[in-house]
Amino acid sequence: MTAAVLATACAVIFGTADFFGGLATRRSRVLAVVVFSQIGGLLLIVPLLAFLPGSPSPAALLWGMASGVAGACGIVMFYRGLATGVMSVVAPTTATASMAVPVIFGLITGERPSSLALVGVVLGLFAVTLVSRSPNDPAHGSRIGSILNALASGAGFGGFFILLKLAPEDSGVWPLLGARIASIALVALLAVATRRSLRPIPGTLRVTFAAGLLDMAANVLYLLAAQRGLLSLIAVLVSLYPASTLLLARYVLGERLSPVQITGVGFALGAIALIAAA
């Protein structure tokens, strides 16, 4: 039950972070948003290390750095998709892919959720599929490009979830320190190699840091949940984050939600209830 609560809270905060990240990338350079949001997350995790239980170890930092590489690739593709596509299409499609990868991994490696939990998994996948159906109809080429970005992003996020789960259980949130160091270094090197500026557009730094702080808070909740529950269940709950992204996009940006998407949000709540009760 504790793991389900942590994962659900993680999903809400992840969705909010993605909304702020999407706003930032529409106004600034994608790599600049990624780097400065990651720095914002680093500023949050460093003080938390002194207060949350956990022991640093080479294994914790190495698994964290590996997850940081996967996550950095995922977030670059995700923010790129948000900057060029419809937020209510990109976020759910990414979530579908990021859910499938760790769920399959968990089942292959021997996790066996209860029958009730498996019903929740199926309902959660159905929910994400429903909210992925956008009432907007962007140009075909733009839609295909956004979906490809989202699928690649989801694969990166799925790898991030798996690699963090593989860190020693007694490491606390130390793997997240390794993840942030690796992701910042990777994106900075990418910017140098492609000769792209990391200077943020004036007026965007505040929302960029907000995205990074929220993203790191969600990462902490995910890691704590993964240390207490099955990856195949935690990943489903975390991947329901598009619900909060969609609601924010609806009420802040005025993006329309179709009846099918609203139904999907309802199914998401049902999936949460089933997995939490299992």
Side-chain angles (χ1 to χ4, degrees):
M1 182 64 175
T2 301
V5 171
L6 290 169
T8 302
C10 170
V12 173
I13 298 176
F14 256 140
T16 307
D18 288 345
F19 175 77
F20 280 106
L23 290 180
T25 52
R26 290 182 177 186
R27 304 171 187 172
S28 188
R29 303 175 179 92
V30 171
L31 292 184
V33 170
V34 173
V35 166
F36 281 95
S37 66
Q38 298 284 289
I39 291 174
L42 186 63
L43 294 177
L44 176 63
I45 193 61
V46 169
L48 286 180
L49 293 172
F51 298 99
L52 294 177
S55 303
S57 67
L61 294 176
L62 287 174
W63 281 116
M65 292 179 75
S67 71
V69 172
C73 294
I75 202 167
V76 168
M77 298 304 295
F78 182 68
Y79 282 173
R80 182 179 178 185
L82 290 178
T84 59
V86 178
M87 189 177 291
S88 53
V89 172
V90 174
T93 304
T94 300
T96 304
S98 65
M99 176 197 296
V101 172
V103 167
I104 293 171
F105 178 84
L107 294 175
I108 289 176
T109 54
E111 291 187 356
R112 294 296 179 265
S114 67
S115 298
L116 187 63
L118 286 175
V119 173
V121 170
V122 174
L123 195 61
L125 182 59
F126 188 51
V128 173
T129 302
L130 289 179
V131 296
S132 298
R133 298 184 62 179
S134 173
N136 302 287
D137 187 25
H140 181 72
S142 174
R143 183 171 66 249
I144 293 298
S146 296
I147 291 174
L148 290 176
N149 282 332
L151 290 174
S153 172
F157 288 148
F160 174 80
F161 292 146
I162 291 171
L163 293 166
L164 275 184
K165 174 69 173 177
L166 293 175
E169 292 187 2
D170 63 350
S171 58
V173 296
W174 281 93
L176 293 177
L177 177 63
R180 275 298 176 265
I181 292 173
S183 61
I184 292 172
L186 179 63
V187 177
L189 287 173
L190 178 62
V192 172
T194 58
R195 298 182 179 180
R196 296 185 182 181
S197 174
L198 291 178
R199 180 178 299 175
I201 300 299
T204 63
L205 202 54
R206 183 176 299 180
V207 69
T208 299
F209 271 116
L213 291 171
L214 289 167
D215 179 69
M216 178 55 75
N219 285 334
V220 171
L221 291 172
Y222 165 75
L223 189 54
L224 295 176
Q227 291 168 351
R228 292 164 172 79
L230 297 178
L231 178 64
S232 53
L233 300 183
I234 298 303
V236 172
L237 293 176
V238 171
S239 296
L240 296 175
Y241 68 85
S244 57
T245 307
L246 288 175
L247 292 175
L248 287 169
R250 168 66 182 88
Y251 291 107
V252 178
L253 300 181
E255 292 187 4
R256 297 177 56 192
L257 297 183
S258 69
V260 173
Q261 287 178 307
I262 295 173
T263 303
V265 173
F267 277 119
L269 296 176
I272 292 171
L274 287 172
I275 294 175

